[in-house]
Amino acid sequence: MNTPETYQAFMLDYASGNLSASMSLAATIHRLMSSKGDETAHIWETVRTTLSGNAPDRREAFERMEEVAADIIHTDYDAVDWRRSLSGARVSKLSNSSGSLMRLEPGDRVFAHGHSTLEAMIVLEGALEDGRGCFDAGDLVLAEPGLRHRPAAAGNTSCTCFVARADTPFWRFT
């Protein structure tokens, strides 16, 4: 299960326009597939507009992102050109975004791993189990830096996810 704080912070950053393109796309897919995601985004957008007053209208940017998200949601996943990754999952880099698709067949499991940056996965079809809970279509699965998890297809159907990772700078001044 995602922590409520991480989930709310992620959705606030989405409503504020503070996410990278791939992370924003993950939030948009979650919003389109989940009533919880849509409600949460709407609440944070209302707060943003109320507090900022004259902030630029982000509706046009959201509409463009929704078109890309809808294309991903309505993809024929059986027709995707899948490649086996080192993790054991099948993956496909998307040409229209900086995210990728990941597919786990029944019984498939990715090796246990952690992340140095935030990872966002949206379950597009099937169910995903990662040691913290079971996630269904439309659910947002956030893996915070330092968290170890082991994603696996849950049940006897394929699990397809959209995966986005926060940008990682090669170096930075501290």
Side-chain angles (χ1 to χ4, degrees):
M1 181 65 78
N2 298 318
T3 66
E5 296 83 6
T6 301
Y7 177 76
Q8 292 296 331
F10 182 83
M11 295 305 288
L12 170 59
D13 280 344
Y14 168 67
S16 302
N18 292 331
L19 294 177
S20 67
S22 65
M23 294 296 251
S24 185
L25 182 55
T28 302
I29 293 170
H30 172 56
R31 179 181 198 168
L32 292 177
M33 293 184 70
S34 161
S35 58
K36 176 187 177 187
D38 190 47
E39 180 182 329
T40 304
H42 180 72
I43 289 168
W44 284 119
E45 288 165 358
T46 302
V47 169
R48 177 186 60 84
T49 335
T50 302
L51 293 177
S52 58
N54 62 356
D57 187 4
R58 298 192 20 85
R59 195 171 339 175
E60 189 176 314
F62 283 136
E63 288 172 3
R64 283 193 309 272
M65 188 66 70
E66 284 177 354
E67 290 175 18
V68 175
D71 286 344
I72 292 169
I73 293 167
H74 299 294
T75 295
D76 177 1
Y77 305 117
D78 291 328
V80 170
D81 182 23
W82 297 106
R83 307 253 188 248
R84 180 66 76 175
S85 73
L86 293 175
S87 70
R90 288 179 172 80
V91 295
S92 180
K93 181 77 173 137
L94 297 174
S95 59
N96 60 348
S97 76
S98 54
S100 60
L101 296 176
M102 175 185 77
R103 186 169 228 190
L104 297 165
E105 298 299 332
D108 283 355
R109 176 177 295 278
V110 174
F111 60 84
H113 63 282
H115 298 277
S116 59
T117 62
L118 182 66
E119 176 187 73
M121 291 188 293
I122 307 299
V123 180
L124 299 169
E125 66 174 359
L128 179 82
E129 195 281 319
D130 78 343
R132 298 176 295 159
C134 190
F135 302 91
D136 297 313
D139 286 347
L140 169 63
V141 183
L142 296 169
E144 299 174 55
L147 174 84
R148 293 188 56 78
H149 66 153
R150 189 172 187 198
N156 56 1
T157 60
S158 298
C159 175
T160 306
C161 298
F162 174 79
V163 181
R165 289 181 188 85
D167 297 332
T168 307
F170 180 68
W171 57 269
R172 66 179 175 203
F173 291 113
T174 57

